[in-house]
Amino acid sequence: MSEPESGPPIARRVMLSMLGLGAAGIVTAPFVQNGWERVLGAVSQHDPTGLSGLLPNPGGFRYYSVAASVPRKTAADYQLEIGGLVERPGTYTLGELRALPQTRIVGEARCTDGWRVPDVPFAGVLLSDLLDAAGVRAKGKAVRFTCFDGVYTESLTLEQARRADVLIALDMLDEPLTHEHGGPVRLYVAPMYFYKSAKWLSGISVTDKVIPGYWEEYGYDVDGWLDQEA
């Protein structure tokens, strides 16, 4: 998932120099890998070029944000708002989400860029449970997701959103979601390409039709099924 190169020339030079460093310097020791992932996450938050997504990562994931920077949220200030065409709009704190029944799903993370990470465990609250608690009105046909980066959006049909493999994820790799992986709360849509699994989730709104998300506005499929699943 990439955009035309933009941003100041110095940022591009820094990113290109880091590409060379990353290719030459990655080793297999776990503490080095973890440290490199933290570096990638930090760099990606201040990378207007998108080149940080090309940096090698032994964990398999690539870090990418469409926003110039993303604020950090913790249990102290995180809130997930649910509204739109529902009977009972409301807000959940991180603690309230963790107090709800949790579901664990092991799935694939695959990007349209070609990278993929198999057998990734995610855990959290079924989106269908939150929709049932809110009470979807008869006119509700789709769900729109907004993020606290202030830019990214996604959408699903109501039928897709109610699948048993669609989570409001709080954990990834059996640990609380880090900021770099879209935490503290993200969407995880197991049967679709990873661009559908919106990071830094802040809002869920039931709508009367599918509203194309960020990448769909650039030509990506609104239904991002893996392997043509339907």
Side-chain angles (χ1 to χ4, degrees):
M1 296 182 293
S2 58
E3 296 178 296
E5 183 173 292
S6 61
I10 188 170
R12 290 197 291 271
R13 292 199 296 271
V14 170
M15 288 301 103
L16 289 171
S17 66
M18 290 188 71
L19 282 171
L21 174 63
I26 296 299
V27 297
T28 58
F31 74 91
V32 174
Q33 176 177 325
N34 292 339
W36 181 245
E37 288 189 345
R38 287 194 296 271
V39 169
L40 285 182
V43 168
S44 70
Q45 301 307 309
H46 304 281
D47 172 23
T49 71
L51 285 172
S52 58
L54 302 176
L55 289 166
N57 178 13
F61 292 96
R62 296 294 181 267
Y63 296 86
Y64 191 81
S65 169
V66 297
S69 63
V70 182
R72 291 178 178 267
K73 299 285 185 178
T74 67
D77 60 2
Y78 178 80
Q79 291 188 328
L80 175 64
E81 296 184 2
I82 300 182
L85 298 174
V86 298
E87 299 292 342
R88 296 173 293 278
T91 301
Y92 289 88
T93 65
L94 184 58
E96 288 169 338
L97 289 171
R98 287 201 173 277
L100 295 174
Q102 304 288 297
T103 297
R104 185 176 186 269
I105 295 173
V106 178
E108 178 182 15
R110 190 194 310 178
C111 187
T112 54
D113 287 10
W115 67 262
R116 60 184 291 270
V117 182
D119 302 323
V120 182
F122 287 87
V125 182
L126 288 173
L127 176 56
S128 60
D129 286 351
L130 295 184
L131 294 174
D132 289 345
V136 177
R137 294 179 180 175
K139 291 184 179 180
K141 304 298 180 185
V143 183
R144 183 171 187 258
F145 306 92
T146 52
C147 306
F148 60 80
D149 67 353
V151 180
Y152 204 81
T153 61
E154 254 308 332
S155 63
L156 297 169
T157 67
L158 189 59
E159 181 181 6
Q160 292 166 352
R162 289 192 178 278
R163 287 177 59 112
D165 52 4
V166 177
L167 287 179
I168 302 304
L170 312 177
D171 295 336
M172 176 181 165
L173 301 172
D174 296 318
E175 295 182 354
L177 266 168
T178 64
H179 177 79
E180 291 75 19
H181 284 301
V185 178
R186 72 176 296 162
L187 180 66
Y188 178 55
V189 185
M192 294 187 179
Y193 280 99
F194 218 33
Y195 70 87
K196 299 294 290 187
S197 295
K199 297 184 289 188
W200 306 303
L201 187 65
S202 62
I204 299 172
S205 180
V206 177
T207 59
D208 60 358
K209 62 181 179 180
V210 170
I211 300 173
Y214 180 90
W215 283 114
E216 285 91 69
E217 295 288 353
Y218 287 90
Y220 281 52
D221 289 340
V222 174
D223 297 320
W225 298 109
L226 294 172
D227 303 322
Q228 303 301 312
E229 182 176 349

